[in-house]
Amino acid sequence: MADVNVSSLAISPKGAGKTDDSQGNEGIPAVELIELLFFAYRDFVGDADELLVRLGFGRAHHRVVHFVNRHPGMRVADLLEVLKITKQSLGRVLRELVDNGYIEQKAGATDRRERLLYVAPKGEELARQLVALQTRRFARALNECGPGARAAARKFLASMIDPEQRAEVERLIANANGKK
Amino acid sequence: MADVNVSSLAISPKGAGKTDDSQGNEGIPAVELIELLFFAYRDFVGDADELLVRLGFGRAHHRVVHFVNRHPGMRVADLLEVLKITKQSLGRVLRELVDNGYIEQKAGATDRRERLLYVAPKGEELARQLVALQTRRFARALNECGPGARAAARKFLASMIDPEQRAEVERLIANANGKK
DNA sequence: CGTTTACGTCAGCCATATTGACTTATTTTC
DNA sequence: GAAAATAAGTCAATATGGCTGACGTAAACG
């Protein structure tokens, strides 16, 4: 599932790879970074996919479990906004997670219309395993990159996010940290 | 389409964000990197999505145009191996791209069973635009990160790829570069 | 009391992927 | 030269994960 396996590609040499060394590129064309990000992300999500398919879940379930674990007590509406999907799409995934005992819903204390979302022990364990898998990949990669790479990677990844939305993502992360 | 818009998430504080500062973490928990990569990749592909939907295409078309542009004359079997999808899945996408004049197929010179894939001028222009969009995001991000960031990002991204497949990805990239 | 809000759900649609079985053309092998 | 293997295309059925629109219900707001 995490396989990229670009094996034995004896492709005829003649292509469109511009050197593109015009503005402090350090000799690295952007198209290389584009392709590396593509493959890196593919393997990154592949880690989780393997575990998820065994449970009959998909990436949608992963995202829900992850964010609910990070933000216990979040409302359904909050989750919809983070995931940027529709109520209907979330509905099926959420129902499956609730039915299988990964997520719990509790009516809000002040506003009883709200169904606040919490991970059940089963869901917390799944979230923990998923984070552990991906943590391992980051740890290995950053270890190869030497000291300072973690801070550099953090800065780089944050910089790749749309500037308008970066503050909100940082707020989301800060909100989830510093608890427990 | 690139929107993440995690706005106004007034989520109740009480969570599972482990500090996880145990093995040279530079104070940055891996879960932060995981989430940043998630949002970064989302915006990264969002750039291309906007352009593609206007043409009635999806991400599958993007991948095909990109790789055929980088590897002109590749066989259908090669493309299947890179994309890791089935012949049947590729079929529809490829047909649409050919019908709309983005991709051309030519019978192989030595083996006439092969339908070698080439981008038509229209397809080359689309590939160029898509790369330009994503190049812009990398350029902005790396500019924010200061000197040396490009090389560091390249190393980091390559390190995130499964070790077994890294060599093949590097070969693929090297193969596509150094032409034209 | 009427409106709005939070959530859920029914029904239908679309895009992208899957598997299996089969055809056609062509090359390779014996 | 006939048989087998290969490259590609296609048909049919299925799954997943999104989408829109419409509607229902309970609770809160004003």
Side-chain angles (χ1 to χ4, degrees), chain B residues 8-21:
Chain B
S8 63
L9 264 185
I11 292 164
S12 74
K14 178 159 202 296
K18 321 247 159 73
T19 319
D20 181 21
D21 207 340

Side-chain angles (χ1 to χ4, degrees), chain A residues 58 60 63 84-86 88-89 92 110-113:
Chain A
R63 294 193 283 270
K84 299 299 273 181
I85 58 174
T86 59
Q88 295 88 332
S89 295
R92 178 184 44 82
T110 61
D111 186 337
R112 297 211 318 282
R113 288 174 306 181

Side-chain angles (χ1 to χ4, degrees), chain B residues 158-170:
Chain B
S159 298
M160 287 290 287
I161 297 172
D162 278 356
E164 317 89 63
Q165 293 172 350
R166 207 175 303 164
E168 289 184 347
V169 170
E170 288 283 10

Side-chain angles (χ1 to χ4, degrees), chain A residues 122-155:
Chain A
K122 220 169 149 187
E124 184 172 1
E125 172 60 14
L126 175 57
R128 201 195 52 70
Q129 289 179 337
L130 290 168
V131 166
L133 277 177
Q134 299 185 321
T135 295
R136 203 166 308 149
R137 180 175 297 274
F138 267 109
R140 184 188 44 62
L142 293 172
N143 191 48
E144 287 179 24
C145 292
R150 182 173 289 256
R154 199 207 182 286
K155 179 82 177 72

